[in-house]
Amino acid sequence: MKAIAIDTTNLVMGIAITDGDKVVGEMITNLKKNHSVRLMPAISQLMKEVDMEPGDLERVIVAHGPGSYTGVRIGVTTAKTMAWTLKIPIVGVSSLEVVAQNGRFFKGYICPFFDARRGQVYTGLYKSNGQDVVIQEKDQLVQLDDWLEQFKEMKEDVLFLSNDLTLHQEKIEAALGNRAILPYLSMQNPRPSELAQLGVKKEPQSNTHEFVPQYLQLAEAEVKWLEAQKIKGEMK
């Protein structure tokens, strides 16, 4: 199966193209630049490099969140457009699950996370069985202080994986001490090739038009709009 994987959920923009069990091309940047301007040219460039045409693709795989609202929308919209135009299946994968793959050979708990502001993080809990990374607690939006509190009762080390690690490193180390394992820089970024491998194994969305992002929370503008609508309803 020839597949393309797309991840724009956070600062990292990643694209990978796979053919069966071979990663034939991979591109990744970690820059504060507009994904909407760079994504399609990057896809075109990578496909040209691997001598592949859009019509050769058999599946589109996308990291569908959580993460930056704008970033998630860019990736999902691009993936849906490609899948619909090429008439091929689309598959969504948790962006946290993608990062968690970097801990495949870690023996303790694996905790991927993204900063969500106001002391909150998007996170989940995973563990490796030596080959596959298996989810232990589903993706969620939590206060980091509350999340770290539950780890204090666990006996095993916890591997924290995040491009936002430096923002919360001091708090993590204060809570868990040497049980908090903070990896090398190369392990903190999601890899689109890992996204591709996950997406090939998952069942595709039955209807491309019904495929939606997994934000885990509403954008601030949406919250304010809903509150305004509720007030209007109460005033009638």
Side-chain angles (χ1 to χ4, degrees), residues 42 76 99 117 127-128 140 143 147 160 167 176 184 200 207 232:
V76 169
V99 183
R117 300 181 182 179
K127 203 165 189 182
S128 174
Q140 53 196 286
Q143 286 289 330
W147 186 241
F160 290 88
L167 296 176
L176 299 181
Y184 295 114
V200 167
N207 187 322
K232 285 182 181 179

mmCIF file of all heavy atoms in Angstrom, residues 42 76 99 117 127-128 140 143 147 160 167 176 184 200 207 232:
data_model
loop_
_atom_site.group_PDB
_atom_site.id
_atom_site.type_symbol
_atom_site.label_atom_id
_atom_site.label_comp_id
_atom_site.label_asym_id
_atom_site.label_seq_id
_atom_site.Cartn_x
_atom_site.Cartn_y
_atom_site.Cartn_z
ATOM 1 N N ALA A 42 5.374 21.436 0.148
ATOM 2 C CA ALA A 42 6.223 20.393 0.723
ATOM 3 C C ALA A 42 5.771 19.005 0.268
ATOM 4 O O ALA A 42 6.596 18.134 -0.038
ATOM 5 C CB ALA A 42 6.202 20.479 2.247
ATOM 6 N N VAL A 76 -6.074 18.393 8.644
ATOM 7 C CA VAL A 76 -7.293 17.632 8.371
ATOM 8 C C VAL A 76 -7.943 18.087 7.064
ATOM 9 O O VAL A 76 -8.373 17.260 6.250
ATOM 10 C CB VAL A 76 -8.288 17.749 9.545
ATOM 11 C CG1 VAL A 76 -9.663 17.195 9.154
ATOM 12 C CG2 VAL A 76 -7.751 17.006 10.763
ATOM 13 N N VAL A 99 3.516 10.744 18.971
ATOM 14 C CA VAL A 99 4.677 11.084 19.801
ATOM 15 C C VAL A 99 5.046 9.921 20.720
ATOM 16 O O VAL A 99 6.225 9.643 20.955
ATOM 17 C CB VAL A 99 4.402 12.341 20.645
ATOM 18 C CG1 VAL A 99 5.636 12.720 21.450
ATOM 19 C CG2 VAL A 99 3.992 13.504 19.759
ATOM 20 N N ARG A 117 -1.889 25.720 27.471
ATOM 21 C CA ARG A 117 -1.983 27.022 28.140
ATOM 22 C C ARG A 117 -2.772 26.954 29.454
ATOM 23 O O ARG A 117 -3.465 25.995 29.715
ATOM 24 C CB ARG A 117 -2.576 28.076 27.212
ATOM 25 C CG ARG A 117 -1.765 28.304 25.939
ATOM 26 C CD ARG A 117 -2.395 29.382 25.075
ATOM 27 N NE ARG A 117 -1.633 29.559 23.844
ATOM 28 C CZ ARG A 117 -1.966 30.430 22.888
ATOM 29 N NH1 ARG A 117 -3.040 31.194 23.038
ATOM 30 N NH2 ARG A 117 -1.238 30.535 21.799
ATOM 31 N N LYS A 127 2.034 2.614 27.233
ATOM 32 C CA LYS A 127 3.058 1.689 27.709
ATOM 33 C C LYS A 127 3.438 0.757 26.569
ATOM 34 O O LYS A 127 2.588 0.379 25.757
ATOM 35 C CB LYS A 127 2.549 0.891 28.912
ATOM 36 C CG LYS A 127 3.662 0.340 29.802
ATOM 37 C CD LYS A 127 3.129 -0.124 31.142
ATOM 38 C CE LYS A 127 4.291 -0.442 32.070
ATOM 39 N NZ LYS A 127 3.833 -0.941 33.385
ATOM 40 N N SER A 128 4.704 0.404 26.512
ATOM 41 C CA SER A 128 5.173 -0.477 25.447
ATOM 42 C C SER A 128 5.191 -1.920 25.914
ATOM 43 O O SER A 128 5.556 -2.221 27.050
ATOM 44 C CB SER A 128 6.590 -0.067 25.022
ATOM 45 O OG SER A 128 7.113 -0.993 24.095
ATOM 46 N N GLN A 140 -6.707 13.296 26.756
ATOM 47 C CA GLN A 140 -7.553 14.164 27.573
ATOM 48 C C GLN A 140 -6.891 15.526 27.770
ATOM 49 O O GLN A 140 -5.690 15.696 27.532
ATOM 50 C CB GLN A 140 -7.816 13.519 28.929
ATOM 51 C CG GLN A 140 -6.551 13.092 29.657
ATOM 52 C CD GLN A 140 -6.827 12.119 30.787
ATOM 53 O OE1 GLN A 140 -7.335 12.517 31.834
ATOM 54 N NE2 GLN A 140 -6.503 10.851 30.588
ATOM 55 N N GLN A 143 -5.296 19.615 33.930
ATOM 56 C CA GLN A 143 -4.324 20.474 34.590
ATOM 57 C C GLN A 143 -3.066 19.640 34.844
ATOM 58 O O GLN A 143 -3.155 18.527 35.372
ATOM 59 C CB GLN A 143 -4.875 20.999 35.907
ATOM 60 C CG GLN A 143 -5.938 22.078 35.766
ATOM 61 C CD GLN A 143 -5.358 23.393 35.280
ATOM 62 O OE1 GLN A 143 -4.188 23.704 35.560
ATOM 63 N NE2 GLN A 143 -6.161 24.162 34.554
ATOM 64 N N TRP A 147 -2.443 15.978 36.838
ATOM 65 C CA TRP A 147 -1.924 14.831 36.081
ATOM 66 C C TRP A 147 -0.677 14.253 36.753
ATOM 67 O O TRP A 147 -0.530 13.033 36.890
ATOM 68 C CB TRP A 147 -1.622 15.292 34.662
ATOM 69 C CG TRP A 147 -1.200 14.242 33.684
ATOM 70 C CD1 TRP A 147 -0.007 14.183 33.010
ATOM 71 C CD2 TRP A 147 -1.949 13.114 33.213
ATOM 72 N NE1 TRP A 147 0.028 13.102 32.165
ATOM 73 C CE2 TRP A 147 -1.152 12.436 32.263
ATOM 74 C CE3 TRP A 147 -3.222 12.629 33.503
ATOM 75 C CZ2 TRP A 147 -1.589 11.274 31.609
ATOM 76 C CZ3 TRP A 147 -3.655 11.473 32.845
ATOM 77 C CH2 TRP A 147 -2.846 10.812 31.917
ATOM 78 N N PHE A 160 8.595 11.357 29.645
ATOM 79 C CA PHE A 160 7.809 12.491 29.156
ATOM 80 C C PHE A 160 8.309 12.885 27.764
ATOM 81 O O PHE A 160 9.492 13.188 27.591
ATOM 82 C CB PHE A 160 7.913 13.675 30.115
ATOM 83 C CG PHE A 160 7.199 13.450 31.419
ATOM 84 C CD1 PHE A 160 7.848 12.846 32.489
ATOM 85 C CD2 PHE A 160 5.870 13.826 31.564
ATOM 86 C CE1 PHE A 160 7.183 12.623 33.692
ATOM 87 C CE2 PHE A 160 5.198 13.616 32.767
ATOM 88 C CZ PHE A 160 5.853 12.997 33.829
ATOM 89 N N LEU A 167 8.915 23.954 28.706
ATOM 90 C CA LEU A 167 7.936 24.817 29.384
ATOM 91 C C LEU A 167 7.539 24.261 30.746
ATOM 92 O O LEU A 167 7.178 25.019 31.646
ATOM 93 C CB LEU A 167 6.679 24.969 28.515
ATOM 94 C CG LEU A 167 6.834 25.674 27.170
ATOM 95 C CD1 LEU A 167 5.510 25.642 26.411
ATOM 96 C CD2 LEU A 167 7.301 27.116 27.367
ATOM 97 N N LEU A 176 8.255 14.582 40.447
ATOM 98 C CA LEU A 176 8.636 13.166 40.365
ATOM 99 C C LEU A 176 10.117 12.885 40.591
ATOM 100 O O LEU A 176 10.512 11.723 40.701
ATOM 101 C CB LEU A 176 8.225 12.600 39.004
ATOM 102 C CG LEU A 176 6.727 12.629 38.685
ATOM 103 C CD1 LEU A 176 6.471 12.024 37.311
ATOM 104 C CD2 LEU A 176 5.937 11.886 39.746
ATOM 105 N N TYR A 184 16.352 12.853 25.002
ATOM 106 C CA TYR A 184 17.112 13.706 24.101
ATOM 107 C C TYR A 184 16.161 14.494 23.199
ATOM 108 O O TYR A 184 15.014 14.112 22.982
ATOM 109 C CB TYR A 184 18.044 12.862 23.222
ATOM 110 C CG TYR A 184 19.127 12.153 23.981
ATOM 111 C CD1 TYR A 184 19.150 10.767 24.057
ATOM 112 C CD2 TYR A 184 20.144 12.868 24.624
ATOM 113 C CE1 TYR A 184 20.153 10.110 24.752
ATOM 114 C CE2 TYR A 184 21.144 12.209 25.318
ATOM 115 C CZ TYR A 184 21.139 10.836 25.382
ATOM 116 O OH TYR A 184 22.128 10.196 26.083
ATOM 117 N N VAL A 200 -1.607 2.922 8.625
ATOM 118 C CA VAL A 200 -1.776 1.772 7.729
ATOM 119 C C VAL A 200 -2.507 0.643 8.444
ATOM 120 O O VAL A 200 -3.253 -0.124 7.828
ATOM 121 C CB VAL A 200 -0.407 1.309 7.192
ATOM 122 C CG1 VAL A 200 -0.515 -0.062 6.526
ATOM 123 C CG2 VAL A 200 0.148 2.332 6.203
ATOM 124 N N ASN A 207 -16.717 7.518 5.672
ATOM 125 C CA ASN A 207 -17.198 8.643 4.876
ATOM 126 C C ASN A 207 -16.249 9.825 5.061
ATOM 127 O O ASN A 207 -16.146 10.374 6.158
ATOM 128 C CB ASN A 207 -18.615 9.036 5.309
ATOM 129 C CG ASN A 207 -19.229 10.079 4.403
ATOM 130 O OD1 ASN A 207 -18.566 10.995 3.941
ATOM 131 N ND2 ASN A 207 -20.528 9.950 4.146
ATOM 132 N N LYS A 232 -28.810 34.689 24.901
ATOM 133 C CA LYS A 232 -29.903 35.122 24.022
ATOM 134 C C LYS A 232 -31.151 34.271 24.252
ATOM 135 O O LYS A 232 -32.260 34.771 24.277
ATOM 136 C CB LYS A 232 -29.461 35.033 22.563
ATOM 137 C CG LYS A 232 -28.505 36.136 22.136
ATOM 138 C CD LYS A 232 -28.167 35.996 20.660
ATOM 139 C CE LYS A 232 -27.199 37.082 20.218
ATOM 140 N NZ LYS A 232 -26.846 36.942 18.779
#
